[in-house]
Amino acid sequence: MRRTLLLAAAFAVAATAVPTTEVFAQSRDRGGADRQEQEAAKKRKRDEEWGNAQSPLPALRNAGPCPYVKTLYDAARYIEFAEGREASANVGFSGEIQGISAGCAYKDDEPIKVRVEVLFEMGRGPQAQGSSKTYRYWVAVTQRNQAVLAKQYFDVPVNFPDGQDRVYVTDTIDEITIPRASLTTSGANFEVLIGFDVTPQMAAFNRDGKRFRVNAGQAGDATSNP
């Protein structure tokens, strides 16, 4: 699905802009080396089972560095728990942002145009109602490590085929337009952050480093704690 996100010209930011209150902060992963090894093993297993579903974006010309594009850690996963109880048997629908591909283009005094592809892995647990779910995620453009300039929500409808409890979905944002105040304003002044629309409980679960497999609750699955 193709999307667009446009910032109003009034939000153009100069390279020498005065710092404002920081709105987004990347939470630290507390697992250290052990967690990195677990994540690497998980990715290898997923690639073996499903193959590498990401495709590189076509190269785009640009006159300077691109904005930083990344997932906000607290919103990188979406897990529903029946009755609010954190147990694999209580998992409803779940999702995880597995990868992001991005490219940008700008020259002279033109605005920065960013194209982003987001790879999601969606799961259906034992408490999921029905075989379809519309997930919601957001994309925010910020002055790097400072104020939010624009934020927009997108819906991703997902249908789970019979007998499948997880699927991969790629969503494309064809163009994010970021005005520039001058020729010296480069993409490095901005960040593009991406995350699921999560509840406070989900954000706390992610922040604490707790994890379930995306198809948690199915036979053979186990809870994985930090």
Side-chain angles (χ1 to χ4, degrees), residues 61-82:
R61 60 176 181 164
N62 55 283
C66 289
Y68 294 84
V69 182
K70 60 186 180 182
T71 303
L72 188 69
Y73 183 75
D74 293 0
R77 292 178 297 278
Y78 176 97
I79 302 180
E80 297 176 349
F81 293 108

Side-chain angles (χ1 to χ4, degrees), residues 9 11-17 63-64 106-112 178-190:
F11 287 125
V13 177
T16 57
Y106 62 98
K107 64 179 181 178
D108 300 328
D109 59 350
E110 294 178 353
I112 301 168
I178 306 174
R180 298 160 64 216
S182 70
L183 288 170
T184 60
T185 305
S186 77
N189 290 281
F190 306 95

Side-chain angles (χ1 to χ4, degrees), residues 182-204:
S182 70
L183 288 170
T184 60
T185 305
S186 77
N189 290 281
F190 306 95
E191 285 183 330
V192 178
L193 302 178
I194 300 172
F196 282 105
D197 186 19
V198 296
T199 66
Q201 181 190 13
M202 294 178 188

Side-chain angles (χ1 to χ4, degrees), residues 39-55:
E39 290 300 311
K42 178 177 180 290
K43 184 177 185 302
R44 286 194 299 270
K45 185 175 186 299
R46 186 184 71 245
D47 289 345
E48 290 173 0
E49 292 178 349
W50 296 88
N52 184 0
Q54 297 186 72
S55 58

